[in-house]
Amino acid sequence: MTQPIIQMKGVVKSFGCFQALHGVDLSVTEGEIVVIIGPSGSGKSTLIRCINQLEEHNGGDIVVDGIAVGKGRRRAAQAEVGMVFQSFNLFPHMTVLRNVALGPVRVRNLSWAEAETRAKRLLARVGLEDHIAKYPGQLSGGQQQRVGIARALAMEPKVLLFDEPTSALDPEMVGEVLDVMQQLAKTGVTMVVVTHEMGFARKVADRVVFMDGGRIVEEGRPDEIFNAPRDPRLRSFLQAVLSH
Amino acid sequence: MSIFDTFLNWKVFVQTLPLLLSGLTTTLTLGVTAIILGFVGGLALALVRLYASPPFRQLSIAYIDVFRSIPILVLLVVIYYALPFVGLRLSPFGAAASALSLVSAAYSAEIFRAGIEAVPKGQFEAAYALGLSPWRLMGDVVLPQALKIVIPPITSNSINVMKDTALASVVAMPDLLKQATQAQALAANPTPLISAAFIYILILLPLVRLVGVFEKRLAGRGR
């Protein structure tokens, strides 16, 4: 068995008096594609935001690549974990190329020339080689999200987190982003994906995790989760999302 | 005597113009100095107020509140006439520049704070997620966007600073207003005062218009 790259034990997170995570255990091995599904408010996003410490957990342990993250150990994990956001969060005042090159220059100490070479290669990989000089505002949502993916990849992270990457997209653009993600999954990069795209989960995931009410209710291979769900909550969730 | 002889006397105007222009130079030097110091000080105060540890944050808030409450004229008189009693004697320019910068910094700080807070939370998150240091996050991501947002109010504040330079005539600084009153006494004619008023308008009106243009452009971009 390969080394777990993310190990979460009894992770608890509350926002004021609302408890978003009730002691979650999850470990992800290197190269694994984990897809987290569940109804809104089930704690999926909070869970992955704890991995790169955009949210500080209140209890339990999170170890990323051998480093225990938490209070004061925020940046240690952040550079090793890439994140793709639901609302892209590209830097609007920088060109596409600069968006992708910034992290490697500022955090990995590459020169601008080196970083831009890397950025061009990654932008070509997501099919945007013709748009490198544009600003994010000039791109469609799907293109922006592909820049977001290239930006995360440019840091050569050990883990890539996707927080509902297609939820803010017009339907006709969902496919191009999912295609890029599927390509990526084949390259052996470790991915943790929160999504409502059940087709993607079924096709690409090594493991599907179903969350509800701040807990992991059920997890397993995609065929187990989609064809033989055991928990009644998972069954009704799948019925609701797959019946259309 | 016609109105032209009294208020718009060409001969008096030509005679006193060199004096007025020397006053204008002083006014502009004072204004620009105070604007720059206020800008830098305001940015520092805003960052301390937003991100420093609690005691420093409280100090910054106290500073901003106090210097927004005190009339500039009062502060100027205190600096120029009261501080010498504790051995701190400033030149008229020093006193005026200090008073104007201290107050402008307080106002600028609130403008910068609003600008920084107007940058979407996702921008901070994306910068953190890349592992950028807090300084890089500010310098590369947040401030460039915040500065764009604050251009209209900062320009507006700069206009106020420029106007308030006229208060410096109280501490005998040879600024535009002071030179104009001097010239009026010499020429026994109010034309220099009228001229000074026009010069103020001539310099500040374009800036006032500019604020309007900036605001429209910012609103036009939708974000």
Side-chain angles (χ1 to χ4, degrees), chain B:
Chain B
M1 247 179 38
S2 79
I3 192 163
F4 283 97
D5 289 332
T6 313
F7 291 110
L8 302 167
N9 190 311
W10 180 251
K11 237 175 81 186
V12 175
F13 173 75
V14 172
Q15 260 173 7
T16 55
L17 189 60
L19 196 59
L20 292 185
L21 288 181
S22 86
L24 176 62
T25 312
T26 314
T27 288
L28 289 178
T29 313
L30 176 63
V32 170
T33 307
I35 287 168
I36 292 173
L37 291 178
F39 186 92
V40 175
L43 185 55
L45 279 167
L47 290 175
V48 170
R49 172 164 194 173
L50 285 170
Y51 302 113
S53 52
F56 292 104
R57 202 176 294 188
Q58 291 304 324
L59 273 177
S60 171
I61 292 173
Y63 176 97
I64 292 167
D65 289 353
V66 166
F67 281 93
R68 284 199 305 163
S69 320
I70 192 164
I72 295 187
L73 185 54
V74 175
L75 180 63
L76 178 58
V77 169
V78 166
I79 290 177
Y80 190 67
Y81 292 106
L83 287 188
F85 285 89
V86 293
L88 192 60
R89 192 178 300 276
L90 292 177
S91 66
F93 184 87
S98 308
L100 288 170
S101 323
L102 288 169
V103 172
S104 171
Y107 281 100
S108 306
E110 285 300 90
I111 294 172
F112 282 127
R113 181 171 68 100
I116 291 170
E117 284 175 342
V119 174
K121 200 163 142 262
Q123 293 290 310
F124 289 81
E125 293 187 345
Y128 280 133
L130 283 177
L132 294 187
S133 70
W135 290 107
R136 289 297 186 194
L137 167 130
M138 269 295 137
D140 287 337
V141 176
V142 176
L143 284 184
Q145 298 182 61
L147 288 178
K148 214 179 259 176
I149 298 169
V150 303
I151 287 173
I154 280 288
T155 313
S156 214
N157 182 58
S158 302
I159 293 170
N160 283 335
V161 173
M162 217 26 122
K163 287 196 290 191
D164 288 337
T165 55
L167 294 170
S169 56
V170 170
V171 294
M173 206 185 88
D175 74 325
L176 179 54
L177 179 59
K178 183 77 188 167
Q179 299 298 54
T181 31
Q182 210 105 25
Q184 171 186 246
L186 288 174
N189 183 293
T191 300
L193 279 179
I194 305 295
S195 318
F198 273 112
I199 295 176
Y200 278 114
I201 292 173
L202 209 63
I203 288 176
L204 292 174
L205 193 71
L207 285 177
V208 172
R209 271 316 323 140
L210 207 58
V211 175
V213 172
F214 286 150
E215 275 169 350
K216 212 172 256 166
R217 195 178 296 169
L218 209 63
R221 279 190 335 182
R223 201 173 89 149

Side-chain angles (χ1 to χ4, degrees), chain A:
Chain A
M1 176 131 170
T2 28
Q3 183 71 19
I5 190 105
I6 302 172
Q7 209 157 15
M8 307 177 91
K9 273 213 184 80
V11 172
V12 172
K13 171 69 190 174
S14 24
F15 299 98
C17 53
F18 171 72
Q19 195 165 351
L21 296 177
H22 297 264
V24 173
D25 300 320
L26 178 73
S27 66
V28 178
T29 55
E30 221 168 326
E32 198 178 11
I33 314 293
V34 175
V35 173
I36 304 176
I37 59 173
S40 5
S42 59
K44 314 175 297 279
S45 287
T46 307
L47 181 70
I48 67 167
R49 287 164 62 85
C50 281
I51 296 174
N52 71 343
Q53 290 291 292
L54 287 182
E55 306 290 355
E56 224 172 73
H57 54 296
N58 310 116
D61 299 307
I62 302 177
V63 178
V64 178
D65 193 31
I67 303 167
V69 299
K71 275 206 161 33
R73 304 294 300 275
R74 182 153 143 153
R75 278 173 63 204
Q78 277 168 341
E80 303 309 325
V81 179
M83 189 170 217
V84 176
F85 297 87
Q86 178 177 354
S87 46
F88 329 135
N89 297 347
L90 298 181
F91 305 131
H93 58 296
M94 296 178 194
T95 61
V96 164
L97 186 64
R98 195 139 180 126
N99 261 280
V100 181
L102 182 73
V105 170
R106 297 302 194 216
V107 182
R108 301 284 193 227
N109 297 318
L110 263 62
S111 72
W112 279 108
E114 291 169 319
E116 284 178 2
T117 310
R118 180 188 291 184
K120 279 179 197 158
R121 179 169 47 82
L122 290 168
L123 285 165
R125 195 160 132 197
V126 298
L128 291 173
E129 59 272 42
D130 298 334
H131 301 280
I132 60 174
K134 289 188 183 164
Y135 285 85
Q138 299 169 280
L139 302 182
S140 72
Q143 291 170 326
Q144 288 193 53
Q145 192 58 296
R146 286 186 277 153
V147 176
I149 294 171
R151 179 174 67 175
L153 282 174
M155 294 295 291
E156 300 185 332
K158 303 235 162 67
V159 183
L160 262 182
L161 307 176
F162 292 83
D163 188 4
E164 304 200 21
T166 57
S167 299
L169 295 175
D170 291 334
E172 72 270 24
M173 291 167 184
V174 170
E176 63 188 70
V177 171
L178 292 179
D179 284 346
V180 167
M181 290 169 63
Q182 203 171 340
Q183 290 300 318
L184 208 58
K186 289 181 192 150
T187 63
V189 66
T190 312
M191 291 166 59
V192 181
V193 184
V194 170
T195 187
H196 293 293
E197 297 295 330
M198 296 303 142
F200 177 82
R202 195 192 281 265
K203 245 189 304 181
V204 181
D206 296 317
R207 180 155 50 115
V208 176
V209 172
F210 172 69
M211 287 184 75
D212 192 30
R215 292 185 174 83
I216 292 179
V217 175
E218 194 167 331
E219 56 182 308
R221 290 196 316 272
D223 55 314
E224 295 171 338
I225 292 289
F226 291 107
N227 300 336
R230 282 165 294 155
D231 193 278
R233 278 175 291 178
L234 173 56
R235 260 182 251 153
S236 65
F237 173 75
L238 288 177
Q239 211 154 38
V241 292
L242 295 177
S243 61
H244 301 288

